[in-house]
Amino acid sequence: MAPITLDSFAVTRNAFLPEEPPLACLPDAYYRPWETIAQNLPALIRHRELRTQVKQLPLLDTDRLATEPEWRRAYVALSYIAHAHIWGGETPEENQILPPQISIPLLAVSAHVELPPVLTCAAVNIWNYTLRDPSASPTDPDALSIPTTFTGTESEAWFQKIGTAIEAQGGSVIDALLSAFHAVQQSAGKSGSGSLEPVTAALVQLRTCLGDITRTLERMHERCDPLTFCHQIRPFYAGSKDLRAAGLPRGVFYSSDALSGGGGGGEWLQLPGGSNGQSALIQLFDVVLGLGFGAGCGRHDDYYFSTRACTPGPHRRFLAWAAHMGSIRALALREREEGRVGGAADADSKEQKRLRAAFVGAADALSAFRTKHIQIVTRYIAMPLKKSWQGSVQSRSLPLLLPSGLGDDGSKGTAGTTMLEFLKSLRNETANTARLAAD
């Protein structure tokens, strides 16, 4: 098989982050009305001026977006404005209808970048950062700046920096995984005699990578306050799916009629909000270990399907390509052909054992990452929801932000999935994969 071109999948040395930092602002002054709002969201939300500013927006055409970085920046700006409009008022009930000056260009931009018209992981972590120093690496959260936030708080910026740095750290393993996929396909060929060493080496490198991103995730506590995140940041990431209790019984109405003012043409959409599960990097790790959508996970298939749909189109196609290259898991678990004799059989057995041990190590590392994620969710959502924002020390330093959260008990995540119980089932499934390989 001819080598693939990673450019066609928007995969770079930074994994699924762009090769160069994304735009922090659209360069064409024509789009200044969008940027004026997007870059001032914290103040507009705090002073309850956002809806007035949105009403005064002109309906801008997307035809002047000239490059992919510009389309991506437009998606970030518009999806942030849309979510601020929905969740930044006194109650979401009054914000169920997105006005045409937001919904029409958001629908067009989302179609171009092949994402639903809602805030996703791509808007939060993939296309919403800059580097303080051009020579710095995005793998270091301290090297990042975040152009667009809802609250302007250090907690929100740090949350996003951690997520972006984790994405960038995946770049260290992409080339090795490509070699592994090609080796798997060769091994599955007619001769079945391909070397297992590239696969083993990739799994060892994957284990190291997962250790690095787990340690980065552990740094969340350094600058992200749990109460602030839970009550003032998390609500903005919510979508419009299964949120009747939060005031969106029908979802959100996306106006498509420029003359209707939101009262004419359009449709109601119920969409998941931003979630780390939408990360193409984490989905790739699942593909490598034989987990995820299409891997026979049964009760988890709906989750994997919905998260894949909220991943940029080129990244979805890369994940589909990787899944069709053959199963690393099956290769690691298979018994090598019988009937070989002498040194060849011994060497073959040793190679297979090394592969299986490397697979167990990578699966254990992914399980450990998911355990750390569960701990983060517990600390930043489950526990703070038991405490009131009103009257807290944090509320005195951040007045006039959201009067309340999602009106929920934290059982569901922003993407609409049952949260802790579900995350534990994913972790257990990953751990079981490691145990199966170790037996």
Side-chain angles (χ1 to χ4, degrees), residues 285-301:
F285 295 161
D286 282 332
V287 168
V288 170
L289 297 177
L291 302 165
F293 180 58
C297 298
R299 61 199 174 96
H300 292 158
D301 274 356

Side-chain angles (χ1 to χ4, degrees), residues 1 50-51 67 71 74 77 113 116 143 298 301 313 324 332 361 377 419 422:
M1 172 178 284
L50 176 69
R51 287 174 60 80
T67 65
W71 282 99
V113 298
D301 274 356
H324 283 92
V377 169
M419 195 171 51
F422 179 75

Side-chain angles (χ1 to χ4, degrees), residues 118-154:
V118 69
L119 191 80
T120 63
C121 178
V124 176
N125 290 331
I126 306 297
W127 300 332
N128 187 23
Y129 72 93
T130 59
L131 291 174
R132 297 178 183 275
D133 180 343
S135 64
S137 168
T139 60
D140 178 8
D142 290 307
L144 302 173
S145 293
I146 306 300
T148 307
T149 69
F150 294 109
T151 66
T153 60
E154 182 180 47

Side-chain angles (χ1 to χ4, degrees), residues 113-260:
V113 298
E114 300 181 74
L115 284 167
V118 69
L119 191 80
T120 63
C121 178
V124 176
N125 290 331
I126 306 297
W127 300 332
N128 187 23
Y129 72 93
T130 59
L131 291 174
R132 297 178 183 275
D133 180 343
S135 64
S137 168
T139 60
D140 178 8
D142 290 307
L144 302 173
S145 293
I146 306 300
T148 307
T149 69
F150 294 109
T151 66
T153 60
E154 182 180 47
S155 289
E156 183 178 0
W158 187 247
F159 174 80
Q160 293 178 231
K161 290 175 184 179
I162 291 294
T164 298
I166 285 173
E167 294 288 338
Q169 287 166 356
S172 66
V173 77
I174 292 295
D175 286 343
L177 291 178
L178 289 180
S179 298
F181 287 133
H182 285 296
V184 169
Q185 189 174 69
Q186 184 178 4
S187 180
K190 292 182 180 180
S191 66
S193 59
S195 171
L196 300 180
E197 185 53 37
V199 186
T200 302
L203 290 170
V204 170
Q205 198 163 337
L206 175 58
R207 179 180 183 175
T208 300
C209 176
L210 282 162
D212 291 340
I213 69 174
T214 300
R215 284 186 288 275
T216 298
L217 185 59
E218 289 174 344
R219 295 187 61 190
M220 186 68 74
H221 70 92
E222 291 180 12
R223 300 177 201 171
C224 185
D225 173 67
L227 204 64
T228 301
F229 175 81
C230 179
H231 291 283
Q232 299 299 309
I233 299 167
R234 173 179 174 259
F236 284 111
Y237 293 156
S240 54
K241 179 181 179 182
D242 299 331
L243 285 174
R244 176 179 296 274
L248 301 178
R250 301 172 65 186
V252 171
F253 187 81
Y254 286 71
S255 308
S256 61
D257 184 351
L259 301 178
S260 70

